[in-house]
């Protein structure tokens, strides 16, 4: 920490010492006046890399991507209630994904808040808004308390929690003692032996069974163990529509199917399952309730059993389960590589994009999926791509996470190529993330799927409307007037970009993009998939 | 409401009927799945104009601009906690400006929330986050309750309140009764006679006095009365740094000085005042507290007296006060038109921009000021412009309000030219507002003041740092790597744009821009004003 030890300890220094001692190395930041002492402190240390973002949605979304890939927290440095507010949506995704994050929010000096300067809220305090998307929230009562909170927040965040430190700025500059010693790493609670036994009985009873994995069960040794169980018992490996953390997939990995998003497609997909066993995953609940429709995607008679939740030790649970079903010696099921075929040609569809990705994504790539209505064909086409990790930001239902998450993943994993498939409507929420990608030379290829609409809403509106959409309704669902020019937007933010009109053009441009280091964007005009339009018609008829 | 009366009443319809009955005509929207029944309802009625925005920060910031200019609420249609979160910063500005707004937030069906689908918060409910930036918040307990809440919210919003209706989507589709009859308009409480008497005594005692105006005292007849009092008593008319609602200024209007933002400049500015009398304004509290600095800008011995707060009837209070000081027959002080001089030439400075605005802004223009560190020279140069209304979004300290506010003002006031002077750092928070301007052909000229930095933070950092800024600190304050290209960004969002490098070029481009209808953007490379750099040096020395 170079100079920082030579002068007296203050609250800002104690806080950053606690975080650095806990292994924090990265700070995504959009600071304001109340964080200057913190910025100064970061500026003095070699131990933390600061990454400036143009809005707090990028700060928090990048911290989410970073934490999911790295498994340890970055700091998200935010400014007062407004800054935290701008970060709420992405923190909602992070909180529901159990991503390790430490938010540090500078607020007005404790003695100044009662003077009601501009930033004070009409009806509450910063901690009131911070709490809703945080598993833990602490406010510094003194400068020394800042260091204590840092120790506590970092330790808890590592277990998969979003932790928020509210830091009045007098606590930054006041004298402090050094932070306390960090606690030993917390272990995760084990699954109950009876629960594992019961799961093993279900897997042995001959019924059609899905093993629904979530959290850390979707990667590494835990996933290998699940692959052994699947090979031994015939159970199918499934994952939530929006898996938390990331999913390792592609060639050689035990294949895991994502449960489809749309309620009716999800119900159809799960209808033959007689049992679903959940390890770190939630029940297949519909994202939204609809009039006179069920809220669970599983069949009415399907048995649902959860031997271990996401907070528990999933690898040990899977090892116990593998042992109980005698699968420890069984080789895991493994995904085969999709053989190289003729490159896609003609119309540029999501499927064609997916096939190019499958052919060209390098091993160890990170695929960030905010393709929304175009996600399913891309997911299907990349099943047998080279081994890669799959991230889906929408764990908390917030849109706009794709570009920030790609930035965060690239920062967390230098040397790995990040490919972000990004729908246009959600991409516009956080388009300014491209600037930070350019600035950090983040190795990200952004593939924008442009259909000039909030296409999912066309489907949802079909459930509600009588007759056809009128022009006024359309005006609230469509984005074509004026058409967004992503090539110009990327240029404005410092990222080289191109436009692909055909599958061949995309293939060529994508090949060129992945051959280089640093951010690239390809704008692809794609139609809404036919399957969705067909479902839209069905839903409208059912109305 | 055309078809909408022909079919049965449901919650969505009852809600919109209550709002339309209250005179609501405009809805800024970024809807999601849970708002489809509401979008459908808007689509069926001719009474409400929907305006789609690409993110909720624009929705809420535009509603703020609209409400400030119109004096009656628009609806901001938002989607679940994430959507509300995205709107928190701009609602914080609106709440602190007492802008009339009705937020409608669709949330999960009441019976589905306990299933904990993606959008549910880990630690609270939507109303917990809504409350902090709302003066009033109600959640629908039934479909009919939606209509009741609409009546209540619209009536309260009109008195200058941000009101939020949380609307579970089963309440949208369930059967409802029509909304109740709206209450008669609420009057504002009058100032106490004793308080007016006391204020009159202060104005007559010969001491140097500032009459600090806020809210509705800064416009119309109230401002005229203040001008009479100033003419009669010699009091100077002042306003908060970030006046709530808007300030009418320019040729023929009683001139009002904005209290400077920076603490030290503000203290210097107010040091000679022996008395400050507040009508609808808050005390001159520093935006931030600094180590060993005062938190009030007024001199230690200055008497501070508030005869009427912003919620009170300020016009009546000013009439009573004018009567008490025998000013009702005194002609108001009036701002003279700045005489046309040679057009600015040479280096493009904020002053040169301000002088061009002063010369060319048409009468009745609306000047939106988010010029940040370049604001003071522009404010000074436009004092004697043609009569115009001045809006400053940062009433709640949130940055990024400029472009959304300009959109909202243009929608509220068709036929009036809107000129937005916009700093680059804050402008990037909400750049996607340009798209809605293009879509609505909003008559806005955006003047981007590009200095490639969060320049105010350079000043604030000078209070903290020892020695010079190092590269790492700079990396958290500066925006030049890569440089933002606002012309390309505007093109990407459908707004014609140009770049001005000299005062002459700006003058010519601005003249061309205001001659046309519809949005235009001019990117201006400007330096940080010398006064600020000088202050930065002083503050650093004082450290």
């Amino acid at each position: 920490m170079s100079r920082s030890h030579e002068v007296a300890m203050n609250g800002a220094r104690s806080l950053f010492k606690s975080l650095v001692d806990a292994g924090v190395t990265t700070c995504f930041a959009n600071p304001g006046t109340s964080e200057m002492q913190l910025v100064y402190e970061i500026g003095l240390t070699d131990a933390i890399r600061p990454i400036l973002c143009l809005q707090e949605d990028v700060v928090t979304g990048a911290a989410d991507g970073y934490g999911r890939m790295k498994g340890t927290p970055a700091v998200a440095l935010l400014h007062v209630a407004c800054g935290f507010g701008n970060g709420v949506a992405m923190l909602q995704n992070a909180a529901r994904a159990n991503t390790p994050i430490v938010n540090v929010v500078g607020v007005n000096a404790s003695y100044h808040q009662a003077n009601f300067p501009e930033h004070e809220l009409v009806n509450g305090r910063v901690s009131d808004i911070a709490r809703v998307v945080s598993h833990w929230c602490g406010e510094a009562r003194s400068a020394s308390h800042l260091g204590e909170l840092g120790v506590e927040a970092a330790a808890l965040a590592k277990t998969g929690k979003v932790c928020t430190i509210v830091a009045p700025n007098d606590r930054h500059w006041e004298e402090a003692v050094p932070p306390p010693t960090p606690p030993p790493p917390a272990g995760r609670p084990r699954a109950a032996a009876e629960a594992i036994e019961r799961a093993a009985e279900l897997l042995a009873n001959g019924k059609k069974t899905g093993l629904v994995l979530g959290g850390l069960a979707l990667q590494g040794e835990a996933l290998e163990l699940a692959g052994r169980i699947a090979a031994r018992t015939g159970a199918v490996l499934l994952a939530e529509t929006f898996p938390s953390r990331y999913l390792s997939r592609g060639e050689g990995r035990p294949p895991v199917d994502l449960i489809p998003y749309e309620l009716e497609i999800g119900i159809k997909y799960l209808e033959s399952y007689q049992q679903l066993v959940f390890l770190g995953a939630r029940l297949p609940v519909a994202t939204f309730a609809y009039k006179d429709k069920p809220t669970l995607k599983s069949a009415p008679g399907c048995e649902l059993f959860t031997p271990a939740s996401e907070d528990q030790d999933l690898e040990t649970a899977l090892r116990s389960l593998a042992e109980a079903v005698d699968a420890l010696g069984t080789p895991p099921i493994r995904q085969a590589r999709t053989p190289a075929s003729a490159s896609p040609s003609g119309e540029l569809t999501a499927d064609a994009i997916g096939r190019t990705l499958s052919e060209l994504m390098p091993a160890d790539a990170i695929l960030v999926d905010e393709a929304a209505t175009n996600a399913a064909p891309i997911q299907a086409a990349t099943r047998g791509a080279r081994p890669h990790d799959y991230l889906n930001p929408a764990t908390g239902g917030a849109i706009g996470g794709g570009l920030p998450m790609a930035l965060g993943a690239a920062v967390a994993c230098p040397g790995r190529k990040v490919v972000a498939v990004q729908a246009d409507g959600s991409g516009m929420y956080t388009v300014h993330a491209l600037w930070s990608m350019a600035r950090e030379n983040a190795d990200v290829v952004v593939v924008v799927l442009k259909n000039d609409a909030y296409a999912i809403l066309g489907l949802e509106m079909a459930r509600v409307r009588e007759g056809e959409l009128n022009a006024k309704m359309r005006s609230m669902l469509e984005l074509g007037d004026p058409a967004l020019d992503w090539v110009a937007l990327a240029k404005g933010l410092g990222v080289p970009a191109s436009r692909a009109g055909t599958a061949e053009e995309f293939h060529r441009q994508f090949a060129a993009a992945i051959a280089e280091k640093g951010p690239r964007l390809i704008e692809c005009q794609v139609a809404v998939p036919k399957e969705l339009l067909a479902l839209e018609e069905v839903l409208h008829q059912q109305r």
Side-chain angles (χ1 to χ4, degrees), chain A residues 157-169:
Chain A
K158 286 179 187 174
T159 69
K161 301 290 169 193
V162 174
C163 297
T164 301
I165 299 171
V166 178
N169 69 343

Side-chain angles (χ1 to χ4, degrees), chain A residues 79-373:
Chain A
H79 176 55
V80 303
C82 314
F84 196 93
N86 285 334
V88 158
M90 298 300 109
L91 290 172
Q92 160 68 3
N93 283 342
R96 291 299 303 262
N98 289 311
T99 305
I101 295 183
V102 175
N103 298 307
V104 175
V105 196
V107 301
N108 266 314
S110 56
Y111 60 83
H112 192 40
Q113 293 176 18
N115 293 332
F116 206 48
E118 289 87 347
H119 293 95
E120 296 303 312
L121 298 161
V122 293
N123 212 352
R125 313 182 67 248
V126 174
S127 53
D128 293 327
I129 174 169
R131 197 173 292 122
V132 300
V133 287
S134 303
H135 296 101
W136 174 98
C137 179
E139 181 164 350
R141 293 184 302 268
S142 69
S144 297
H145 192 211
L146 262 181
E148 296 166 29
L149 291 175
V151 168
E152 196 176 344
L156 189 61
K158 286 179 187 174
T159 69
K161 301 290 169 193
V162 174
C163 297
T164 301
I165 299 171
V166 178
N169 69 343
D170 50 337
R171 306 315 182 197
H172 307 186
W173 68 61
E174 287 168 357
E175 207 174 310
V177 300
T181 310
R188 287 167 180 262
R190 298 219 165 170
E194 299 73 17
I196 299 295
E197 257 170 59
R198 170 78 185 129
E201 284 166 21
L202 292 173
L203 286 165
N205 69 8
K207 293 186 179 167
K208 178 158 183 188
T209 307
L211 201 57
V212 191
L213 307 174
L216 299 176
L218 291 169
Q219 48 182 270
E221 180 57 21
L223 181 58
E224 288 286 300
L225 288 161
R228 292 180 197 276
I229 296 167
R232 185 78 174 96
T233 66
V236 177
L237 302 184
L238 303 174
E240 294 161 284
T241 306
F242 307 114
S244 54
R245 300 289 182 100
Y246 64 87
L247 160 64
S248 290
R249 70 197 286 266
E251 183 185 8
R253 263 78 181 262
V256 179
D257 261 22
L258 297 164
I259 297 171
Y261 172 78
E262 293 83 6
L263 176 62
E264 293 79 5
I265 299 176
I267 288 175
K268 181 90 190 147
Y269 177 84
L270 288 178
E271 70 181 352
S272 64
Y273 284 91
Q274 296 168 287
Q275 310 177 134
L276 294 173
V277 176
F278 298 85
L279 282 135
R282 294 174 312 114
L283 304 190
V285 162
T287 301
F288 292 102
Y290 305 106
K291 192 177 176 184
D292 303 329
K293 294 260 181 168
T295 55
L296 262 182
K297 293 174 181 173
S298 46
C302 180
E303 171 149 10
L304 307 174
F305 180 63
T306 300
S309 71
E310 196 173 349
D311 277 339
Q312 291 180 291
D313 181 343
L314 296 171
E315 187 181 322
T316 301
L318 281 157
R319 186 168 294 111
S320 305
L321 186 55
E323 193 172 8
V325 299
D326 194 24
L328 282 176
T330 312
I333 53 167
R334 296 207 183 278
Q335 174 69 46
R337 176 88 170 101
T338 300
S341 60
S343 295
S345 67
E347 193 192 349
L348 186 52
T349 62
D351 173 64
I353 289 168
R355 284 188 291 136
T356 283
L357 264 55
S358 182
E359 189 178 329
L360 298 180
M361 276 200 306
D364 271 334
I366 299 167
L367 176 61
V368 177
D369 173 12
E370 197 175 28
T373 41

Side-chain angles (χ1 to χ4, degrees), chain A residues 48-95:
Chain A
I48 293 190
R49 173 184 177 193
I51 294 170
L52 184 63
C53 306
L54 293 175
Q55 221 256 40
E56 292 85 353
D57 47 14
V58 182
V59 171
T60 48
D64 188 14
Y66 179 97
R68 290 199 201 190
M69 289 312 303
K70 197 89 167 179
T72 58
V75 170
L77 183 60
L78 304 165
H79 176 55
V80 303
C82 314
F84 196 93
N86 285 334
V88 158
M90 298 300 109
L91 290 172
Q92 160 68 3
N93 283 342

